[in-house]
């Protein structure tokens, strides 16, 4: 891996997708009564950022030239 300190399209995309997942999950936990389906949708989105990152790495988007 290149010495890019995570400043690549793959890293930024994974972080943003994870952030969206955490926000969706937080909204699900913040409403009254608790919205468990919305929380779990947010959790799935946040966890999906990991495999998404790996796919983007395989596509070459985790190189310092981007």
């Amino acid at each position: 891996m290149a010495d890019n300190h995570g400043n690549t399209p793959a890293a930024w995309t994974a972080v943003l997708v994870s952030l969206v997942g955490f926000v969706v999950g937080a909204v699900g936990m913040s409403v009254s009564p608790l919205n468990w389906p919305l929380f779990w949708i947010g959790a799935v989105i946040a966890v999906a950022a990991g495999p998404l990152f790996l796919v983007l790495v395989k596509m070459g988007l985790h190189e310092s030239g981007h």
Side-chain angles (χ1 to χ4, degrees), residues 3 6 10 12-14 21-22 24 26 29 34 36 38 42-43 45 49 52-56 63 66:
D3 188 23
W12 278 106
T13 302
F22 278 103
V24 170
M29 294 298 289
L34 294 179
W36 286 106
L38 189 60
I45 293 170
L52 174 64
F53 174 74
L54 295 176
V55 168
L56 293 174
E63 298 170 358
H66 287 284

Side-chain angles (χ1 to χ4, degrees), residues 2-62:
D3 188 23
N4 51 37
H5 302 285
N7 192 14
T8 63
W12 278 106
T13 302
V15 167
L16 290 176
V17 169
S18 179
L19 180 63
V20 167
F22 278 103
V23 169
V24 170
V27 169
M29 294 298 289
S30 298
V31 296
S32 182
L34 294 179
N35 189 337
W36 286 106
L38 189 60
F39 167 76
W40 286 112
I41 290 169
V44 168
I45 293 170
V47 170
L52 174 64
F53 174 74
L54 295 176
V55 168
L56 293 174
V57 167
K58 293 288 184 186
M59 292 174 57
L61 294 174
H62 194 59

